[in-house]
């Protein structure tokens, strides 16, 4: 589930479209019709059309045909923020890890005014200009329309421990950082990453001005950070979040129901065709999260579509979800 | 055109064949489509290493030897023969051939709680004190035993070794459970500290590329991993895997551990043999061979495709869809 490397989704859509209109192609491969056997031919033709209809219906019914809207596309006359790439290799909380991160700074940023902050896990997935999310472009458009505040984007990749010798595999730290419960990753952000950003930029200390987002394991990670440190982050955006038992995260609905309500605003997205595997059932887990948040009276929104374990639906929803999360800031 | 029944029959059967072929083609396209979708779903599950993918239907634990006191120190050789020690009443390192024949391999040796072959062909061992004809002479040591003479060379004296693993470079990593420490010794007997602060370190194994060392906690619930540097030393440890713990306990009983060629770790514990994927996620807990527990495992047998288990008075084995790794050999170059 490494979204920074694999993005099979587009291939599937392409393939679906290709295969879902096979009628003419099949016509072309059919043989010259033997005389006087029209009925047989009709039967075959019928069979073909039934199949075509089935495949087309399957495509129409399913599966992630969510599209990016104009807010996810660069618009003429909208100032474009700056995206810069950095790397961080001096973590004491995750010793030995190295990682890339990106900082997005909107044109509207003024050093004298504390900016809001939004931190994205699997940063590359969200920051990529041709990806499923295109968060910097969405920020440009929404900030320009004053539909979200001036916010700095911090896009952080998971760490890896590089091997000592060539030919050896790096230790992926993604699951350890993202799926683990507890405050380790929250401390990594607040004690190590944010001070890096604060060296150059003026970031608000108001937790309602600080949001955190992620996909899959990055989704549960975002929730865990706010759950552990609502004094640091109070807005959460989770895409196909892994609230399952990869490393014990399935307990959150139960914890939420029996813990005094925390001042966290949450946007959850998932799809009916999300994963069902050894770690758990993603659609059920996200519904359980939503039910627990509802039961406790959290300020939450749950968008449950028909997609799978990918960022298609979440990407299409990103502008709306950001509008919802930031709707009344600074209140 | 002259009406010809034979022609019509031919045409009819021709048409049937074409129709059938066409239907088959459509079915084929649908199937390919379905399979394509499935395989992409599988890609989305990259790294999904469920225990069910390793277990084989109908292949349960099989008892291969019995009548011992307390078995431990599982290891294997190039051919897949299985070696272990009876810590309860034995004075010999036992061998079980791939054909299942049990014999005394090295006799008159100290009690060994950990055994592994090294790149020099010697058998490296954590000794637990005297047995048999060595009574009164042997201490807790890390030693190398020559094969077949049994000639013993002490590598580390005045240590409390529990289990060990030997890399292809000849570095011996052993757990000192009481000290909470992993200690390193090389073939020249140079001893140094590898890592500290582990809650009763017990089982110890390597990643297939020998770039990572994994150590199980007996009294805690972590399996720690460390990077192995070119000089054999360890750094940047992390409690990378979390063992499941019995309800009401804080100790997992993490014990003898091994690795398969896909990078999965197998860690014996109170609850069973816990399997983790290479990114540290629990893939499942395998049942113990018997209620008496299991403290040491190794892949051995034909093709190193069987997991052998030291389970108290007996040795069991179980065929898996997994293959072991021989750490005394240099890892294959990565493609």
């Amino acid at each position: 589930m490494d979204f920074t490397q694999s993005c099979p989704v587009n291939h599937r859509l392409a393939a679906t479209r290709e295969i879902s209109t096979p009628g003419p192609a099949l016509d072309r491969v059919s043989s010259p019709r033997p005389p006087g056997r029209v009925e047989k031919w009709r039967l075959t033709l019928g069979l073909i059309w039934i199949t075509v209809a089935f495949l087309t219906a399957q495509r129409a019914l399913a599966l992630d045909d969510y599209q990016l809207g104009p807010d996810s596309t660069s618009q003429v006359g909208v100032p474009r923020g700056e995206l810069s790439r950095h790397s961080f290799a001096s973590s004491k909380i995750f010793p030995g890890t190295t990682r890339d991160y990106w900082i997005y700074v909107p044109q509207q940023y003024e050093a004298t005014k504390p900016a809001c902050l939004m931190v994205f896990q699997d940063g590359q997935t969200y920051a990529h200009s041709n990806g499923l999310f295109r968060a910097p472009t969405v920020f440009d458009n929404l900030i320009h329309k004053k539909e979200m505040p001036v916010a700095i984007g911090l896009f952080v990749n998971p760490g890896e421990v590089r091997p000592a010798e060539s030919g050896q595999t790096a230790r992926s730290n993604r699951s350890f950082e993202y799926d683990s419960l507890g405050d380790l990753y929250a401390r990594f952000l607040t004690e190590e990453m944010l001070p890096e950003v604060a060296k150059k930029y003026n970031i608000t200390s108001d937790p309602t001005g600080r949001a955190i987002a992620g996909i899959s394991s990055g989704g549960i990670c975002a929730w865990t950070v706010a759950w552990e440190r609502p004094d640091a982050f109070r807005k959460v955006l989770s895409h196909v979040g892994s609230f399952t038992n990869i490393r014990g995260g399935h307990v959150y609905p139960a914890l939420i129901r029996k813990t005094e309500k925390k001042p966290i605003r949450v946007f959850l997205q998932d799809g009916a065709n999300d994963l069902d595997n050894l770690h758990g059932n993603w659609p059920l887990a996200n519904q359980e999260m939503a039910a627990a948040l509802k039961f406790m009276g959290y300020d939450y929104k749950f968008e449950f579509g028909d997609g799978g374990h990918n960022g298609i639906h979440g990407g299409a929803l990103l502008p709306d979800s950001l509008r919802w999360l930031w709707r009344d800031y600074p209140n | 055109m002259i009406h010809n029944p034979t022609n019509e029959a031919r045409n009819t059967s021709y048409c049937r064949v074409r129709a059938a072929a066409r239907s088959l083609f459509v079915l084929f396209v649908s199937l390919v489509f379905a399979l394509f979708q499935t395989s992409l779903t599988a890609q989305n599950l990259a790294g999904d290493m469920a225990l069910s993918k390793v277990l084989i239907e109908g292949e349960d634990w099989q008892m291969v030897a019995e009548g011992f006191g307390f078995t431990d120190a599982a290891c294997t050789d190039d051919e897949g023969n299985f070696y272990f020690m009876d810590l309860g009443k034995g004075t010999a390192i036992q061998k079980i051939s791939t054909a299942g024949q049990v014999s005394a391999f090295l006799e008159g040796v100290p009690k060994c709680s950990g055994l592994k072959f090294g790149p020099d062909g010697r058998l490296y061992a954590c000794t637990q004190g005297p047995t048999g004809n060595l009574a009164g002479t042997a201490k807790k040591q890390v030693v190398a035993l020559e094969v077949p003479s049994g000639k013993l060379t002490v590598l580390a004296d005045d240590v409390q070794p529990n289990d060990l693993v030997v890399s292809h470079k000849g570095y011996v990593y052993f757990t000192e459970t009481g000290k909470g420490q992993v200690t390193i010794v090389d073939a020249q007997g140079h001893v140094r500290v590898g890592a500290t602060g582990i809650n009763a370190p017990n089982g110890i194994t390597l990643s297939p590329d020998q770039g990572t060392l994994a150590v199980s906690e007996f009294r805690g619930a972590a399996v720690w991993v460390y990077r192995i540097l070119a000089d054999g030393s360890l750094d940047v440890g992390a409690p990378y895997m979390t063992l499941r713990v019995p309800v009401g306990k804080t100790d997992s009983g993490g014990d003898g551990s091994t690795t398969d060629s896909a990078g999965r770790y197998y860690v014996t514990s109170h609850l069973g043999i816990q399997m983790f994927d290479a990114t540290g996620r629990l893939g499942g807990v395998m049942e113990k061979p018997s209620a008496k527990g299991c403290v040491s495992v190794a892949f051995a047998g034909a093709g190193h495709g069987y997991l052998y288990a030291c389970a108290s008075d007996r040795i069991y084995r179980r065929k898996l869809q997994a293959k072991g790794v021989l750490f005394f050999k240099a890892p294959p170059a990565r493609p």
Side-chain angles (χ1 to χ4, degrees):
Chain A
M1 275 176 281
D2 189 346
F3 278 85
T4 60
Q5 279 163 25
S6 65
C7 198
V9 167
N10 290 333
H11 302 293
R12 185 176 72 186
L13 281 185
T16 309
R17 286 191 189 110
E18 238 169 61
I19 295 168
S20 62
T21 51
L26 285 179
D27 277 348
R28 257 178 265 124
V29 297
S30 64
S31 61
R33 188 191 311 167
R37 285 288 160 251
V38 176
E39 299 81 4
K40 292 275 179 193
W41 172 232
R42 275 191 186 143
L43 196 70
T44 310
L45 203 68
L47 195 66
I48 291 170
W49 280 114
I50 286 168
T51 310
V52 169
F54 173 74
L55 293 177
T56 312
Q58 199 181 12
R59 179 203 158 198
L61 284 177
L63 299 178
D64 282 344
D65 48 357
Y66 303 101
Q67 304 288 331
L68 293 179
D71 285 331
S72 305
T73 313
S74 283
Q75 300 295 334
V76 179
V78 172
R80 295 185 67 173
E82 227 173 76
L83 190 67
S84 55
R85 182 179 184 155
H86 312 266
S87 70
F88 185 68
S90 52
S91 177
K92 291 186 171 62
I93 289 169
F94 298 119
T97 57
T98 62
R99 75 194 68 223
D100 287 339
Y101 68 96
W102 290 257
I103 299 177
Y104 162 88
V105 182
Q107 285 277 318
Q108 296 87 341
Y109 168 76
E110 294 173 45
T112 53
K113 294 182 191 164
C116 288
L117 172 74
M118 191 152 185
V119 182
F120 293 84
Q121 290 16 267
D122 288 314
Q124 191 165 14
T125 302
Y126 283 94
H128 200 286
S129 59
N130 288 317
L132 294 169
F133 290 98
R134 309 178 185 188
T137 304
V138 177
F139 272 42
D140 285 342
N141 289 325
L142 298 196
I143 291 170
H144 180 64
K145 291 194 276 186
K146 298 198 182 331
E147 291 176 348
M148 67 177 276
V150 173
I152 286 187
L154 173 61
F155 301 85
V156 190
N157 274 0
E160 62 169 21
V161 176
R162 296 198 178 135
E165 296 183 69
S166 66
Q168 293 174 333
T169 311
R171 183 202 310 168
S172 166
N173 220 38
R174 184 174 185 268
S175 171
F176 182 62
E177 291 176 9
Y178 288 1
D179 296 315
S180 298
L181 304 195
D183 68 352
L184 213 53
Y185 190 80
R187 286 185 48 211
F188 162 72
L189 283 184
T190 56
E191 295 171 23
E192 298 188 335
M193 285 308 303
L194 297 193
E196 287 293 311
V197 183
K199 281 179 189 168
K200 279 187 78 176
Y201 302 104
N202 186 358
I203 296 168
T204 183
S205 55
D206 170 14
T208 59
R210 308 207 317 192
I212 183 159
I215 182 166
S216 186
S217 291
I220 190 175
C221 173
W223 166 259
T224 297
V225 168
W227 177 258
E228 293 288 335
R229 295 293 303 276
D231 61 315
F233 291 93
R234 292 192 178 174
K235 289 176 166 56
V236 174
L237 174 54
S238 164
H239 296 122
V240 295
S242 304
F243 297 98
T244 51
N245 185 26
I246 299 180
R247 290 175 184 262
H250 61 299
V251 301
Y252 271 129
L255 291 180
I256 290 166
R257 286 171 187 265
K258 284 191 180 176
T259 305
E260 183 178 352
K261 186 175 137 187
K262 303 191 183 206
I264 308 171
R265 178 180 287 180
V266 196
F267 190 106
L268 296 175
Q269 173 272 327
D270 197 35
N273 290 295
D274 202 349
L275 299 177
D276 181 12
N277 66 19
L278 72 157
H279 306 299
N281 180 299
W282 269 246
L284 292 178
N286 276 275
Q287 291 176 75
E288 278 244 43
M289 279 295 288
L293 293 167
K294 181 181 183 184
F295 176 79
M296 289 300 287
Y298 276 78
D299 182 7
Y300 83 101
K301 192 170 172 67
F302 181 40
E303 282 286 345
F304 190 59
D306 60 13
H309 198 66
N310 59 54
I312 298 176
H313 188 198
L317 280 174
L318 184 61
D320 280 347
S321 37
L322 293 180
R323 272 189 281 267
W324 183 84
L325 277 172
W326 293 106
R327 64 186 183 271
D328 53 359
Y329 186 79
N331 297 315
Chain B
M1 192 167 118
I2 300 163
H3 183 73
N4 184 334
T6 319
N7 259 349
E8 187 183 57
R10 196 176 294 141
N11 275 346
T12 307
S13 69
Y14 170 79
C15 200
R16 272 192 195 134
V17 167
R18 299 298 304 193
R22 231 170 271 132
S23 312
L24 275 175
F25 180 72
V26 168
L27 192 69
F28 176 73
V29 168
S30 313
L31 268 176
V32 166
F33 182 62
L35 283 174
F36 191 59
Q37 277 206 319
T38 312
S39 72
L40 284 171
T41 309
Q43 275 182 28
N44 280 341
L45 306 181
D48 165 17
M49 289 199 176
L51 179 62
S52 57
K53 303 220 170 127
V54 166
L55 301 181
I56 300 169
E57 189 77 29
E59 292 281 356
D60 205 343
W61 290 110
Q62 305 284 332
M63 204 256 293
V64 290
E66 63 182 328
F68 306 104
F70 185 84
T71 62
D72 198 355
C75 84
T76 190
D77 61 13
D78 204 6
E79 292 164 8
N81 301 303
F82 179 72
Y83 303 83
F84 67 99
M85 181 99 196
D86 182 359
L87 288 178
K89 51 188 186 187
T91 59
I93 293 168
Q94 302 284 327
K95 172 180 174 179
I96 303 179
S97 72
T98 52
Q101 194 179 10
V102 185
S103 60
F105 179 63
L106 287 180
E107 293 186 274
V109 296
K111 289 184 181 179
C112 301
S113 59
L115 288 171
K116 289 286 183 302
F117 281 100
D120 55 3
R122 292 192 294 180
L123 192 51
Y124 289 74
C126 298
T127 69
Q128 292 301 318
T131 64
N133 58 3
L134 288 175
T137 60
K139 298 185 289 183
K140 292 195 174 190
Q141 294 168 326
V142 173
V143 304
L145 299 161
E146 277 174 34
V147 178
S149 70
K151 181 175 174 252
L152 183 151
T153 307
V154 177
L155 298 175
D157 209 348
D158 196 22
V159 288
Q160 293 138 40
N162 185 328
D163 203 350
L164 57 72
V165 66
V166 186
S167 75
H168 77 279
K169 289 183 178 176
Y171 295 114
V172 182
Y173 300 90
F174 60 97
T175 49
E176 295 198 77
T177 307
K179 283 192 212 170
Q181 180 175 309
V182 173
T183 309
I184 309 168
V185 62
D186 58 27
Q188 287 72 47
H190 176 62
V191 181
R192 55 190 155 141
V193 175
T196 56
I198 311 163
N199 195 355
N202 195 323
I204 188 162
T205 186
L206 301 171
S207 62
D209 64 13
Q210 305 199 19
T212 300
L213 180 88
V215 184
S216 68
E217 285 187 344
F218 188 84
R219 281 200 288 274
V223 178
W224 289 80
V225 298
Y226 301 88
R227 175 168 60 187
I228 300 178
L229 302 180
D231 68 354
S233 57
L234 305 175
D235 77 349
V236 297
Y240 197 58
M241 299 167 241
T242 305
L243 290 158
R244 203 189 278 175
V245 171
V247 171
K249 287 197 165 199
T250 53
D251 57 308
S252 63
D255 210 315
S257 306
T258 193
T259 312
D260 74 17
S261 60
R264 288 176 284 235
Y265 297 103
Y266 299 76
V267 184
T268 61
S269 71
H270 291 321
L271 284 175
I273 299 158
Q274 307 202 22
M275 190 195 84
F276 296 86
D277 70 22
T279 70
R281 304 180 298 182
L282 180 65
V285 183
M286 203 185 301
E287 283 291 315
K288 291 174 280 194
S290 83
K292 289 178 181 171
C294 164
V295 297
S296 189
V297 284
F299 280 95
H304 299 93
Y306 294 81
L307 192 66
Y308 281 66
C310 297
S312 189
D313 55 333
R314 293 174 172 183
I315 303 293
Y316 288 82
R317 77 171 194 176
R318 180 175 193 169
K319 184 151 182 54
L320 296 181
Q321 293 188 70
K323 279 178 60 177
V325 185
L326 299 168
F327 296 130
F328 52 79
K329 287 183 167 180
R334 202 166 55 166

